[in-house]
Amino acid sequence: MVTFLSGGTGTPKLLDGAAGAFSPDETTVVANTGDDVELGGLIVCPDVDTLIFQGGGVLDRERWWGIRGDTTRTHDALEDVAEAADLDTGPQFLPKDKQTAGRDLARWRRFSGVAEFMEIGDRDRAVHVTRTSLLDSGYSLAEVTDRLARGFGLELDLLPMTNDPVSSLIHTPQGMMHFQEFWVGRNGEPTVENVEFRGSSNADPAPGVLDALDDVVVIGPSNPVTSIGPMLSVPGIGAALQDATVVAVSPFLGDEAFSGPVAQLMDAVGGEPSTQGLAGAYPFADAFVVDEDDDASFDVPTERTDVRIDDREDAKRVVQAVTRAIDAAE
């Protein structure tokens, strides 16, 4: 049995090579939900959906977002309506009093749907409509995620980190903004002063998460701050990882991040923005997988390989290093 902690695109790319080493029916993936937003009244779970679409064979692998070949007629029409009605465009975070009204799962991540700032495909939107309607009917996020995952044909178990609202908020000189506004709406350009996981102290792990952490745990090359950090902020998850066998794959080549705002965010929270900084980010790790040209050193077993993942063969190579690291750590 093995459990992957997943956020962003790093761990999903690693999962492309997982089936050769780990049977899907003995694999669980716990997904970050700190990136979730309510956009125009619809609950969007980007990290969960990447895994659902990947497992269902429909993921847009050029963007690692949305459904391959999807149309965007509704998204385009929203922009046309906003222009015709002379409405503001760009990320529009709803007022403070609107963040705490209505469904709990929408708290502190509510955006206007006017000229929506995140491009949502039409088939992709159908998933969000279905999810939101099921949540409004009383199903939990874990129950909805399981139903959608089975509908798309996933063979592994997919769990959200929590059923409760946790929002990754970025504090900048321009004010507080949700991670999606920072990264998608503003291209990661604002200076990051701090990162907050609002709601995490009152959240509980989703059913099955702590049981899954009794198994070997693999943290893929995801962003340690906004992809894995929200999970670690949920009470009980960090403690469970202290007792588990944990292997972490570096998202860095030395002090250079392969993708995304990893270095900027680690620096903002006081971490060293490099592979060496993973020792502080993951003090519970029992082994690491790092790039063969990386000079980082740890007090636990370390496997070295080319950790860049551009295709399935790359993923298989890194997974082989993960299996060696598991053997060394156990």
Side-chain angles (χ1 to χ4, degrees):
M1 303 292 289
V2 64
T3 296
F4 289 81
L5 303 187
S6 181
T9 63
T11 302
K13 289 180 178 180
L14 180 67
L15 286 167
D16 268 351
F22 308 107
S23 173
D25 60 3
E26 294 184 343
T27 301
T28 299
V29 182
V30 178
N32 169 45
T33 59
D35 290 0
D36 295 2
V37 294
E38 179 180 317
L39 184 61
L42 299 178
I43 298 292
V44 182
C45 302
D47 290 351
V48 170
D49 289 342
T50 292
L51 294 163
I52 289 176
F53 298 155
Q54 177 188 27
V58 298
L59 179 67
D60 182 342
R61 289 175 172 270
E62 292 296 320
R63 300 189 304 172
W64 284 84
W65 161 268
I67 294 175
R68 182 180 63 250
D70 207 351
T71 55
T72 58
R73 291 174 183 172
T74 303
H75 175 82
D76 296 341
L78 286 168
E79 292 187 345
D80 292 341
V81 170
E83 182 178 357
D86 193 27
L87 296 170
D88 291 337
T89 60
Q92 299 175 55
F93 206 43
L94 295 185
K96 182 177 181 179
D97 61 334
K98 299 299 184 183
Q99 296 294 337
T100 53
R103 68 172 74 87
D104 287 347
L105 278 169
R107 289 186 176 177
W108 298 106
R109 44 188 163 189
R110 297 184 123 175
F111 286 88
S112 168
V114 173
E116 59 187 14
F117 73 99
M118 298 171 68
E119 183 180 271
I120 307 294
D122 296 318
R123 293 172 62 199
D124 191 359
R125 192 181 306 275
V127 172
H128 309 321
V129 171
T130 302
R131 172 188 291 117
T132 305
S133 296
L134 289 172
L135 290 170
D136 286 346
S137 297
Y139 290 92
S140 70
L141 182 60
E143 291 169 334
V144 175
T145 299
D146 182 68
R147 183 67 65 90
L148 292 172
R150 300 308 163 198
F152 275 79
L154 269 69
E155 297 179 345
L156 51 75
D157 289 327
L158 176 60
L159 304 172
M161 68 185 196
T162 180
N163 286 327
D164 300 311
V166 175
S167 296
S168 297
L169 303 177
I170 310 299
H171 293 265
T172 78
Q174 290 77 44
M176 182 192 77
M177 57 188 69
H178 190 278
F179 175 75
Q180 296 296 352
E181 177 179 354
F182 164 76
W183 183 236
V184 178
R186 302 184 185 277
N187 299 312
E189 294 177 355
T191 299
V192 181
E193 296 178 332
N194 202 359
V195 180
E196 174 190 359
F197 305 121
R198 186 164 298 186
S200 64
S201 61
N202 296 319
D204 294 314
V209 168
L210 295 184
D211 288 340
L213 299 182
D214 284 339
D215 300 324
V216 171
V217 177
V218 177
I219 301 176
S222 295
N223 187 319
V225 180
T226 52
S227 290
I228 305 301
M231 300 189 212
L232 302 183
S233 72
V234 175
I237 290 182
L241 291 172
Q242 291 285 354
D243 297 329
T245 298
V246 180
V247 172
V249 182
S250 177
F252 289 97
L253 175 57
D255 57 2
E256 177 184 352
F258 285 153
S259 64
V262 182
Q264 183 182 3
L265 291 167
M266 286 190 72
D267 185 62
V269 298
E272 181 179 339
S274 68
T275 295
Q276 194 65 57
L278 297 181
Y282 305 139
F284 44 74
D286 299 291
F288 289 95
V289 175
V290 307
D291 194 79
E292 58 195 0
D293 293 327
D294 199 314
D295 60 3
S297 61
F298 304 95
D299 294 331
V300 295
T302 305
E303 288 293 327
R304 299 181 184 276
T305 188
D306 180 356
V307 298
R308 193 181 300 273
I309 303 176
D310 294 323
D311 54 34
R312 285 186 172 87
E313 291 304 311
D314 290 342
K316 291 178 182 177
R317 179 187 63 249
V318 179
V319 166
Q320 289 172 356
V322 168
T323 60
R324 296 195 301 270
I326 291 172
D327 290 341
E330 289 186 317

